[in-house]
Amino acid sequence: MSKTAAIIGGGVIGGGWAARFVLNGWNVQVFDPDPQAERKIGEVMANARRSLPGLTDIALPPEGKITYHASIGEAVQGAQWIQESVPERLDIKYATFAEVQSACLKDAVIGSSTSGFKPSELQQGAMRPEQIMVAHPFNPVYLLPLVELVAVNADQALVENAKKILVSIGMHPLHLKKEIDAHVADRFLEAVWREALWLVKDGIATTEEIDNAIRYGFGIRWAQMGLFETYRVAGGEAGMKHFMAQFGPALKWPWTKLMDVPEFTDELVDLIAGQSDAQSGLYSIRELERIRDNNLVTMMRGLKAQDWGAGALLNLQEAEMRAGTVHGAVAADLAADELVETAHRTVPLDWTDYNGHMTESRYLQAFADATDRFMAIIGCDAQYISSGGSYFTAETHIRHLDEVHAGALITIRTRVVMGEGKKMHLWHEMHEGDRLLATGEHFLLHVSLETRKPTPPAPHIEAALVRFAQGHAALAVPEGLGRAIGGSK
């Protein structure tokens, strides 16, 4: 069954939702009266296509189809998820929900991107109030995983379905059981924003200096540990109690102006706008978006390697995508006389070099990941390795045959040249479509992790390896196998 989402309002947030759904294999139906909506969403989609697919080490599902519709009623037809991202005015939202509910499925999730209104406010006068909930994302929606899901008085089955859908598209539903104005995250942001306005107004710091205080200091800490866990670490071995005892009294000091807002005079607006132009005016908005996305992808992939924070969500999404596919198969599931698909992924933004193509170290990483996947297929998985056995690479030869760029969808297929006793000789071929990009030849030895010396593998691993080696022996010998350096074209 095809999955369909309806996007009502195609601005920055609505366009981000559209991209998140489309790139995760959903069909998306858009309504927006703005005649420029298709162009604007197209630009958001272009940014999303160059960044989101590279977050995971397995390819996202085939891209869904995006269509534009002349009415809300048309857009919501058959949609399982309906996301409202219209302007922050209750009268507009009420009118929108009325049109949505007159035409949508009764069991569809209706989420609102509102950053301030409570669900009880949105539900007033609705045909089916229990169908409406807050699903507040963060920009860029196609990269940042957080969604504040506020579902007071909502149908619990719909709430559980909403959470399931959000997780399936790589997002983290922060399910709030109580409603409050501005939810959770924006209340923090507003406090920081108020203080920043005072610091600029009073001449204490410029916009650039304030941004530097965040991005060179606590912003990095917050990105991977949040607030309370950061302070727990600051408490040392004594933990949070020690931190609160040491810094609690500071809360009584009149340092901040969190309850006061400076008047938005023309002078203050001009001061901040002028400083902001001096700070970032040499970049267009689209250039800043691409810089932002490049940095977010790099940071999130770093967290992914540590299986922490937003990176842990990516690993969870990958595990779900592998389940039930060839990428989650074991040796018994695969034909022995065919090359084994060991990678199918998009080249991420941070894998390119100064020449604009994939840097040479990433070829090795891609092939090493393919080797790891093949090891798991034959039974040398995390559980086996924890018992004390594994394979070490003794020799590698990579041939770079054609250019690979960020965003390329690459597939690696693996053959066993030799597999007997302690030895494993693998040949990897990297393709983009029919184009051969590179080959990797790798010789590995099975070792005991206790002695760090070669030892025979477990019988079930050797049997799986021999099965592939015998099956692949009947295949044509690939060009370049065993070739010394300098012999490649």
Side-chain angles (χ1 to χ4, degrees):
M1 178 180 175
S2 63
K3 297 175 289 187
T4 302
I7 304 299
I8 311 302
V12 172
I13 297 300
W17 274 112
R20 171 72 76 163
F21 275 110
V22 166
L23 294 179
N24 278 281
W26 286 60
N27 294 326
V28 168
Q29 300 167 176
V30 177
F31 169 76
D32 192 313
D34 182 357
Q36 296 295 314
E38 187 168 352
R39 176 189 64 80
K40 292 176 181 178
I41 291 179
E43 292 178 354
V44 175
M45 287 292 303
N47 279 347
R49 285 191 182 101
R50 67 182 289 277
S51 56
L52 177 63
L55 279 179
T56 54
D57 294 330
I58 180 172
L60 293 173
E63 189 173 307
K65 181 181 179 182
I66 185 168
T67 55
Y68 296 85
H69 299 266
S71 70
I72 290 177
E74 281 185 19
V76 301
Q77 287 295 316
Q80 294 94 40
W81 184 291
I82 300 161
Q83 188 68 25
E84 169 272 307
S85 302
V86 303
E88 290 284 80
R89 281 177 44 189
L90 279 175
D91 58 332
I92 297 177
K93 292 185 184 292
Y94 289 153
T96 299
F97 291 138
E99 286 194 60
V100 166
Q101 292 195 310
S102 68
C104 75
L105 298 172
K106 293 182 179 180
D107 60 352
V109 174
I110 301 178
S112 173
S113 298
T114 181
S115 59
F117 292 125
K118 300 187 291 289
S120 62
E121 295 174 294
L122 301 176
Q123 294 164 348
Q124 289 179 18
M127 184 184 307
R128 292 182 297 276
E130 69 281 358
Q131 195 176 11
I132 298 170
M133 62 193 79
V134 169
H136 175 236
F138 291 81
N139 188 37
V141 182
Y142 53 80
L143 285 182
L144 295 185
L146 180 63
V147 177
E148 293 177 317
L149 190 66
V150 195
V152 175
N153 302 323
D155 180 273
Q156 287 308 301
L158 282 181
V159 174
E160 292 306 312
N161 189 36
K163 290 160 69 173
K164 182 178 179 181
I165 290 173
L166 289 170
V167 169
S168 74
I169 59 174
M171 305 189 85
H172 175 71
L174 181 63
H175 184 194
L176 305 182
K177 309 304 190 297
K178 292 184 178 181
E179 62 178 14
I180 188 173
D181 293 324
H183 322 314
V184 172
D186 277 352
R187 295 176 74 89
F188 290 120
L189 294 177
E190 183 178 340
V192 174
W193 174 240
R194 288 177 187 233
E195 193 63 24
L197 290 178
W198 279 114
L199 290 171
V200 173
K201 181 180 184 300
D202 293 342
I204 306 300
T206 65
T207 58
E208 184 173 13
E209 289 166 342
I210 290 169
D211 284 350
N212 287 343
I214 296 171
R215 61 185 168 199
Y216 298 144
F218 63 86
I220 300 174
R221 297 189 311 196
W222 283 5
Q224 51 90 33
M225 273 194 173
L227 179 66
F228 284 101
E229 200 160 45
T230 293
Y231 285 162
R232 179 181 178 85
V233 173
E237 293 182 0
M240 182 60 85
K241 282 191 175 180
H242 173 69
F243 174 83
M244 294 186 73
Q246 186 173 5
F247 293 98
L251 298 177
K252 298 180 181 179
W253 299 344
W255 281 357
T256 62
K257 300 179 180 179
L258 297 183
M259 299 308 296
D260 299 320
V261 184
E263 184 180 354
F264 257 50
T265 62
D266 291 342
E267 290 77 14
L268 179 58
V269 171
D270 289 343
L271 177 63
I272 291 177
Q275 291 184 3
S276 179
D277 288 345
Q279 176 185 350
S280 307
L282 67 160
Y283 300 108
S284 70
I285 292 299
R286 293 292 171 258
E287 288 172 327
L288 285 173
E289 287 174 342
R290 288 190 286 272
I291 291 167
R292 174 201 65 192
D293 290 357
N294 290 353
N295 293 334
L296 286 174
V297 167
T298 301
M299 289 187 287
M300 291 171 72
R301 286 187 55 78
L303 290 170
K304 182 177 182 293
Q306 300 302 315
D307 196 32
W308 194 263
L313 291 179
L314 294 171
N315 287 328
L316 177 63
Q317 183 184 16
E318 275 187 27
E320 290 192 0
M321 288 194 293
R322 289 183 192 279
T325 71
V326 66
H327 303 289
V330 295
D333 302 323
L334 302 172
D337 58 351
E338 297 177 359
L339 297 185
V340 179
E341 185 173 303
T342 47
H344 183 60
R345 58 163 307 148
T346 300
V347 176
L349 294 171
D350 61 340
W351 276 25
T352 55
D353 63 13
Y354 43 82
N355 292 319
H357 57 210
M358 193 161 85
T359 191
E360 58 204 69
S361 64
R362 298 302 188 176
Y363 287 85
L364 177 58
Q365 180 173 338
F367 286 135
D369 289 345
T371 297
D372 288 347
R373 174 70 191 121
F374 183 78
M375 286 168 52
I377 288 172
I378 63 174
C380 187
D381 53 16
Q383 182 177 357
Y384 178 80
I385 293 171
S386 68
S387 71
S390 188
Y391 281 93
F392 283 4
T393 303
E395 190 171 348
T396 295
H397 181 209
I398 294 175
R399 297 188 307 151
H400 304 271
L401 304 177
D402 206 341
E403 285 191 281
V404 192
H405 300 94
L409 183 60
I410 60 172
T411 301
I412 297 176
R413 297 181 181 88
T414 301
R415 71 181 287 160
V416 179
V417 180
M418 180 191 55
E420 59 182 29
K422 309 167 189 176
K423 301 175 181 178
M424 180 164 66
H425 183 178
L426 300 180
W427 171 264
H428 299 303
E429 296 179 357
M430 180 190 297
H431 285 84
E432 182 184 15
D434 296 330
R435 192 162 59 99
L436 181 61
L437 305 173
T439 64
E441 189 171 355
H442 308 265
F443 181 74
L444 301 95
L445 290 170
H446 186 275
V447 300
S448 162
L449 294 178
E450 181 179 355
T451 65
R452 320 302 279 190
K453 294 182 179 179
T455 58
H460 72 282
I461 291 178
E462 184 172 14
L465 187 59
V466 168
R467 174 175 172 266
F468 281 118
Q470 292 174 345
H472 293 169
L475 301 175
V477 176
E479 180 186 354
L481 177 64
R483 184 173 294 171
I485 193 167
S488 301
K489 65 179 182 180

